[in-house]
Amino acid sequence: MRHTTRYDYGEDVSVSHHLLHLTARPHPRQRVHQSALTILPAPAVQSSHTDYFGNTVTYVAMQEPHRQLVVTAESEVEVVPPPPLDAASTPSWEHVRDSLGGLSGPEDGAEVVQYRFDSTLVAASPTLQDYAAQSFTPGRPAAEAALDLMRRIHDDFTFDPAATTIATPMAEVMRHRRGVCQDFAHIVVGCVRAMGLPARYVSGYLRTLPPPGRPRLVGADVSHAWASVWCGAEAGWIDVCPTNARRADQDFITIAWGRDYDDVSPARGVLMGAAGHTLSVSVDVEPLEDNEAS
């Protein structure tokens, strides 16, 4: 997997500081075999730490004049498909909502419940609640409701890269029913939270080359986003991709998760100098051939 971000500045940038979420995150279905960042020109300061949500964040400081910045993230990961899900056997969404306070163990109450509340870019609203209620009908199993919501967003909204920016309010996305994967993930998160359940925003990538006989996924070759919905202590977090109307599987590579895009943006920074800039991003995700004898 390779993600290259290139900034070209109109004038010299004398100093810049950047925070990068570009390192693949280990989790029960994803093993990170190796990961590296290459930054040109070489930064004066570079350090990494684990943020509040458990993601790897890299801080970079550029202290020499430069007119270009190129950041390349390369990772080799192993992803396994999620276990089979019997959505109808999950508890009702009301039961999941009402039992959040009784969680214990690895997924304790504080870790899960924090994703139930409004965040910077995602706030519950009557519009979101009304839309969600069509899927979260009384007594419906939580996973069934989450998957139905995913499919409805896929059917009701049009993928249109020209329709929004990351600053476009959710109310506008709901009104025009157009956007990109980040918008659709936010809508899932907002709808689920509007019903009182936890949901988190997941940032990552899609496999560039689909397996034989399968169609190319929408969102390949760029950063992708989907949502993760808490469906009870037994089922745990269920990752759903409304852009492609499917559960996240071995085609999905996780980089980071948080409350919304603002927690996990791939790159952000401040700089002194420059008269505007252009940005180009390229992503390649390809399967590795395993030539070793079994």
Side-chain angles (χ1 to χ4, degrees):
M1 175 185 67
R2 180 183 296 107
H3 179 153
T4 300
T5 305
R6 173 173 170 163
Y7 297 92
D8 288 287
Y9 304 110
E11 295 179 354
D12 281 352
V13 172
S14 56
V15 176
S16 64
H17 301 265
H18 306 267
L19 288 177
L20 310 172
H21 286 94
L22 292 170
T23 302
R25 173 178 182 145
H27 61 77
R29 294 197 302 103
Q30 178 169 287
R31 295 176 58 191
V32 180
H33 294 294
Q34 58 182 349
S35 185
L37 280 177
T38 303
I39 301 171
L40 297 173
V45 179
Q46 179 174 340
S47 63
S48 295
H49 68 277
T50 302
D51 70 8
Y52 171 79
F53 301 103
N55 309 305
T56 297
V57 184
T58 300
Y59 165 72
V60 172
M62 317 296 292
Q63 298 177 354
E64 297 291 338
H66 57 285
R67 286 203 174 190
Q68 184 183 88
L69 176 64
V70 181
V71 180
T72 301
E74 295 181 285
S75 298
E76 181 182 326
V77 302
E78 178 183 350
V79 185
V80 299
L85 173 66
D86 182 0
S89 70
T90 57
S92 72
W93 66 268
E94 298 99 330
H95 177 81
V96 174
R97 178 197 62 196
D98 297 340
S99 62
L100 289 171
L103 296 175
S104 61
E107 297 286 7
D108 61 52
E111 165 62 23
V112 174
V113 173
Q114 66 180 330
Y115 295 104
R116 180 180 181 178
F117 304 106
D118 289 351
S119 54
T120 303
L121 299 178
V122 180
S125 69
T127 300
L128 289 173
Q129 187 172 24
D130 289 345
Y131 188 84
Q134 299 175 55
S135 295
F136 288 81
T137 53
R140 192 172 196 180
E144 269 194 5
L147 293 171
D148 184 69
L149 175 66
M150 172 195 74
R151 288 186 287 266
R152 287 177 50 234
I153 293 171
H154 176 267
D155 292 342
D156 293 346
F157 289 72
T158 299
F159 186 87
D160 182 358
T164 61
T165 70
I166 195 59
T168 302
M170 287 184 64
E172 185 175 330
V173 179
M174 289 295 294
R175 184 164 56 253
H176 297 296
R177 303 290 175 98
R178 308 183 77 87
V180 294
C181 54
Q182 289 84 0
D183 300 307
F184 304 156
H186 279 156
I187 291 171
V188 172
V189 171
C191 284
V192 171
R193 291 179 186 167
M195 302 306 294
L197 297 175
R200 59 194 185 194
Y201 178 98
V202 188
S203 175
Y205 308 112
L206 282 174
R207 180 204 295 257
T208 304
L209 301 175
R214 289 176 59 179
R216 184 181 180 83
L217 296 176
V218 177
D221 295 325
V222 295
S223 295
H224 193 54
W226 58 96
S228 191
V229 180
W230 179 254
C231 291
E234 184 172 345
W237 293 101
I238 304 300
D239 285 22
V240 297
C241 175
T243 305
N244 292 286
R246 58 185 284 186
R247 290 180 65 196
D249 55 20
Q250 65 269 33
D251 289 331
F252 292 69
I253 297 173
T254 302
I255 296 296
W257 62 60
R259 295 164 300 176
D260 57 36
Y261 175 88
D262 196 57
D263 288 331
V264 299
S265 58
R268 65 171 58 192
V270 295
L271 53 86
M272 295 181 61
H277 72 273
T278 59
L279 168 66
S280 61
V281 178
S282 65
V283 174
D284 293 299
V285 181
E286 297 182 3
L288 293 177
E289 294 292 335
D290 184 3
N291 295 318
E292 297 180 3
S294 58

